[in-house]
Amino acid sequence: MNHYRVLIDANDEKGLVHKVSSIFFKYDLNILSNSEFVDKESNKFFMRSVVEGAVNKKELRDAINALLPKNSSVKVIEPKKKNIIIMATKELHALGDILIRHESGELEANILAVVSNYDKLESLVEKFNIPFITISHEELERAEHEEKIIECLSSYKNVDYIVLAKYMRILTPHFVETFKDKIINIHHSFLPAFIGANPYKQAYNRGVKIIGATAHFVNNNLDEGPIVAQEVIHVNHAYSWRDMQRLGRDVEKVVLSRALKLALEDRIFVYENRTVIF
Amino acid sequence: MNHYRVLIDANDEKGLVHKVSSIFFKYDLNILSNSEFVDKESNKFFMRSVVEGAVNKKELRDAINALLPKNSSVKVIEPKKKNIIIMATKELHALGDILIRHESGELEANILAVVSNYDKLESLVEKFNIPFITISHEELERAEHEEKIIECLSSYKNVDYIVLAKYMRILTPHFVETFKDKIINIHHSFLPAFIGANPYKQAYNRGVKIIGATAHFVNNNLDEGPIVAQEVIHVNHAYSWRDMQRLGRDVEKVVLSRALKLALEDRIFVYENRTVIF
Amino acid sequence: MNHYRVLIDANDEKGLVHKVSSIFFKYDLNILSNSEFVDKESNKFFMRSVVEGAVNKKELRDAINALLPKNSSVKVIEPKKKNIIIMATKELHALGDILIRHESGELEANILAVVSNYDKLESLVEKFNIPFITISHEELERAEHEEKIIECLSSYKNVDYIVLAKYMRILTPHFVETFKDKIINIHHSFLPAFIGANPYKQAYNRGVKIIGATAHFVNNNLDEGPIVAQEVIHVNHAYSWRDMQRLGRDVEKVVLSRALKLALEDRIFVYENRTVIF
Amino acid sequence: MNHYRVLIDANDEKGLVHKVSSIFFKYDLNILSNSEFVDKESNKFFMRSVVEGAVNKKELRDAINALLPKNSSVKVIEPKKKNIIIMATKELHALGDILIRHESGELEANILAVVSNYDKLESLVEKFNIPFITISHEELERAEHEEKIIECLSSYKNVDYIVLAKYMRILTPHFVETFKDKIINIHHSFLPAFIGANPYKQAYNRGVKIIGATAHFVNNNLDEGPIVAQEVIHVNHAYSWRDMQRLGRDVEKVVLSRALKLALEDRIFVYENRTVIF
């Protein structure tokens, strides 16, 4: 008996649950968990089922697809480790949290490599026997540097996600397009606030009483893709912006790891600039 | 076109979602929202659907029931105001929050009366043109006092819920049995901690850094029924137990109102000593 | 024996705590609680002490002032009820929460009046025997309408705070200047995000996973004064913007009441665009 | 110019702040931060100041002590790395979080060793060039096993704290007495709830909507010492107890690291069964 994750994204119409569940019934699949959501405004239907049984994945997908409206998306996925590449710069908290979780076996992921524009994190990464690749941006035009990184990343086959664990360089639309829907970023601010450089200093100057972090997919604009997870922490007047930065790191790492876990478990649907998370 | 809430509680078996959705399809009902949960350990299936259409409620219920395993429970409910009675003692924060929400129209409820063992809250309740009934416990045995209250509550027809908004008297099993599954209580502590008198003082003495409140259905034991909602707030060494009590009130009122709202919207299933909340 | 709140705002220099505490010692005052904060960047010193004893307030103030650097501010306040006026429009949750807290006696405040541009909340306010004044903006230029409100508010003597409990009209700099440092507003968003109309719809469109509210003093710009309190709540894809608005109200009322309480207890210092809260 | 942390724990009496600040003034020390707290019920005074200047530590301590009531405690500490030993069993999340923070340089600590009753975590710890010592409890009486550990720990000089990072063996009063006030534990539950084995299963069975973790000093009873930090996370009916355990680990590691940081920065006073944290 195997498990399958069935992900459906379709225009809504009456009877969809009935149709899909009839296929599960026909193929003698037991539903282990099931989530649906209908966005009334955009008339979109989302469904994620985990089913148990023995079935040909392609056949199941086609059988479901045949009953759905045109332009629907159906995925049938067998749970297995996904391939990820992590990009970082100099801070180790977010990267370190992923490495420790990976070590504990809780992530359904193979970390193919860590790519950085500095070599500062090399000794940490190598402790875990993971390849570390430094691609310095010094003396390079932005486009040249990015092309080198694209080349490096493209040399890996079947990369499922690229995780920006505090990678502090701005990515061009070309880069984002190359790895469309695959890039997860941790933004060191509670989006949509304080976009730009040093958000903790901005937060301090604004005298906020709460700071936060946001994990999101990256689309054209580095800080503006669909949000996956957010978390906050209370601060007060006695926190300098460096205190806020330090505390913010604890939030950042938790939020990024949470988002990564959701992605690895195929729990995220993206549509428009939003996410549905089951 | 009407809305119906369909609530199903059954032993789990393969094909339940398929069977229920086939009935919705047959009666031309559009699913507006749908939630399911299977508890693997106890092999229980729970489902709450909101459907839109025009149907005879009894017919729909029987049609669904005919397809389910024996001993299943099916309810088909048209949303309308439920009848509630509030019981309180001397503190007005939880009662006041319900009165204000009721005034704003956000609660699907008729407040039939407020019953108290003191008259302290009478002037507040009467501002809102809601009957206030004082049943003093003075000079009465506990059983006598409770019998008077039962008599009073029983004089109201179709009471859906009895809300204990800081009613500070212990209820006997007889009382609880009389209004089985209808009593919602706010416990001034983060259950299961600090059961008993003055939990804030206990919390203070224990030096906790977080306090909370718990809303729950009342079963045999006043403080131990199925939990509906919980919330907490951070405290520190500078809070006296009276400070904790004062802050705790803010949590209590929010949690009780949240639980009441869930009950009024038929979102709660109770089984064993647990709740499923959709 | 009386209690006095001593509030000091000065440029920092060595020995300030020593100097102030020497005065308390000299006047035989017992320190019940004491908080200090030094902002190193702006070199500012803040202190709030609650002392117990018998002293002439003016004499104490002058004695402390004589030891402080030039341009220091010293206030000696005996705790008593402050006078507040509440402004609201049509929503009753924030106003209602204040009225219930006032009724319970937990606020150190006299509510002199509630002023609104609609009469919708009149019946609620009158239940509590508080004057309700409708000043409709219909058929009036903005300046005319505001002048009428200023005239009304100015007819009350010794108003300590004006509380905007979801007053949905933009205030001009003239209004703000007239009641400088006295206006507390609840902003229906987690500042600095989503400034402008319908922040909940903006938040929904942005697909955020957390929403919040911000209480702040009003300076020139309605949404940009010094922040006093903030709170958030988690949401997910299943929340429509109306759901977010409804839930947001629970946060708004809690945050506004918390900020009001801090103001009434003289716990807030404002400097630059920030607050120090003891 | 050096920094000194001055920690005072005394019976309260009038003028203490004045007396201490006069000493700072006399020794030409600049106060960088200052916190005081008086517990009225137990008549205890606590103060933590960070001062800047150049002074003989012992002389400063004696000068302050001379002005305080009898039986007062005064400590003058120069910030420097403290020596810690970590004890763990098989789970790596809490240990891993400390190792990563240590690697990043954010902890004021030297990790002298990690001691475990299993060798499972050895490969992780050795990546960080920290000694790992396995002291198996197999085939040993509890007392024998513990004596071996005491012997091992005692071989290190100047151990400031022993951190139980999910060390899953019960410690005897003898062990606790040997390292009195030095043991910090993470309790996998929101104390005082669910004391005992498998609290997550207990929490699941009780149907709680919030789970948490508690970091505390260990006194006679493993789960009952003074609480340093607590944190919680919301759960719902869909979480199995294993889900709760997995999520609970995220809370555990954050809370333990937070408590450790407070200890390393000399921010914790312990009295009765409570803590004052500045």
Side-chain angles (χ1 to χ4, degrees), chain A residues 128-141:
Chain A
F128 293 88
N129 299 316
I130 292 167
F132 184 90
I133 301 157
T134 307
I135 304 178
S136 172
H137 61 278
E138 280 177 45
E139 301 185 25
L140 292 181
E141 299 287 321

Side-chain angles (χ1 to χ4, degrees), chain C residues 2-187:
Chain C
N2 296 317
H3 287 194
Y4 307 91
R5 295 171 186 159
V6 180
L7 298 139
I8 298 169
D9 174 344
N11 291 324
D12 190 33
E13 61 175 41
K14 210 174 284 187
L16 288 183
V17 172
H18 174 55
K19 286 173 182 170
V20 175
S21 61
S22 70
I23 300 291
F24 292 160
F25 195 62
K26 176 179 164 192
Y27 282 92
D28 202 28
L29 295 164
N30 194 24
I31 300 176
L32 296 180
S33 76
N34 197 34
S35 305
E36 302 125 43
F37 173 64
V38 174
D39 183 331
K40 306 287 176 208
E41 286 196 32
S42 59
N43 199 42
K44 292 279 285 174
F45 171 86
F46 303 93
M47 183 170 177
R48 178 186 186 271
S49 300
V50 181
V51 295
E52 190 181 37
V55 72
N56 178 288
K57 284 193 290 178
K58 196 179 167 311
E59 190 182 336
L60 176 60
R61 193 194 63 199
D62 292 346
I64 295 172
N65 224 347
L67 295 179
L68 297 180
K70 274 191 184 172
N71 300 318
S72 297
S73 155
V74 180
K75 291 179 191 164
V76 177
I77 301 165
E78 267 182 288
K80 65 169 186 181
K81 288 193 176 181
K82 290 186 167 44
N83 296 316
I84 67 174
I85 291 178
I86 303 172
M87 293 177 65
T89 293
K90 286 179 169 174
E91 292 170 271
L92 62 65
H93 59 286
L95 172 62
D97 199 60
I98 295 173
L99 292 175
I100 290 290
R101 285 175 195 271
H102 183 251
E103 182 81 7
S104 80
E106 84 173 71
L107 295 183
E108 292 183 6
N110 302 308
I111 303 176
L112 303 182
V114 175
V115 176
S116 177
N117 52 329
Y118 287 94
D119 61 5
K120 191 178 170 218
L121 301 171
E122 184 166 12
S123 70
L124 173 68
V125 173
E126 294 196 333
K127 289 184 205 310
F128 292 88
N129 298 317
I130 291 167
F132 185 90
I133 300 157
T134 307
I135 303 179
S136 173
H137 61 278
E138 282 179 43
E139 302 187 24
L140 290 181
E141 298 288 323
R142 179 176 302 277
E144 282 179 295
H145 179 240
E146 212 172 80
E147 209 47 59
K148 281 193 161 192
I149 293 177
I150 290 175
E151 198 179 326
C152 166
L153 300 183
S154 301
S155 71
Y156 291 90
K157 302 297 168 211
N158 303 319
V159 175
D160 293 289
Y161 290 109
I162 293 164
V163 182
L164 306 183
K166 301 286 286 178
Y167 180 70
M168 303 306 281
R169 303 268 301 170
I170 290 169
L171 300 173
T172 68
H174 172 56
F175 186 100
V176 174
E177 194 55 38
T178 308
F179 304 103
K180 202 167 149 54
D181 299 337
K182 292 189 170 180
I183 310 173
I184 299 172
N185 184 42
I186 181 67
H187 185 77

Side-chain angles (χ1 to χ4, degrees), chain A residues 47-94:
Chain A
M47 183 169 177
R48 179 186 186 273
S49 299
V50 181
V51 296
E52 189 181 40
V55 71
N56 178 288
K57 284 194 289 178
K58 194 179 169 311
E59 188 181 336
L60 176 60
R61 194 194 64 198
D62 292 346
I64 295 171
N65 224 346
L67 295 178
L68 296 180
K70 275 190 184 172
N71 299 319
S72 298
S73 154
V74 181
K75 290 179 191 163
V76 177
I77 300 165
E78 267 181 288
K80 63 169 187 181
K81 287 192 178 181
K82 290 185 169 41
N83 295 315
I84 68 174
I85 291 178
I86 304 172
M87 293 177 66
T89 293
K90 286 178 171 178
E91 292 170 271
L92 63 64
H93 58 287

Side-chain angles (χ1 to χ4, degrees), chain B residues 13-29:
Chain B
E13 61 175 41
K14 210 174 285 188
L16 288 184
V17 172
H18 174 55
K19 286 173 182 169
V20 175
S21 60
S22 70
I23 300 290
F24 291 161
F25 195 62
K26 175 179 164 192
Y27 282 92
D28 202 29
L29 295 165

Side-chain angles (χ1 to χ4, degrees), chain A residues 97 127 246 253 261, chain D residues 97 101 127 246 253 261:
Chain A
D97 199 60
K127 289 185 205 310
R246 189 174 46 73
K253 77 179 187 189
K261 197 166 173 57
Chain D
D97 199 60
R101 286 174 195 270
K127 290 185 204 310
R246 189 174 45 74
K253 77 180 187 189
K261 197 165 173 57

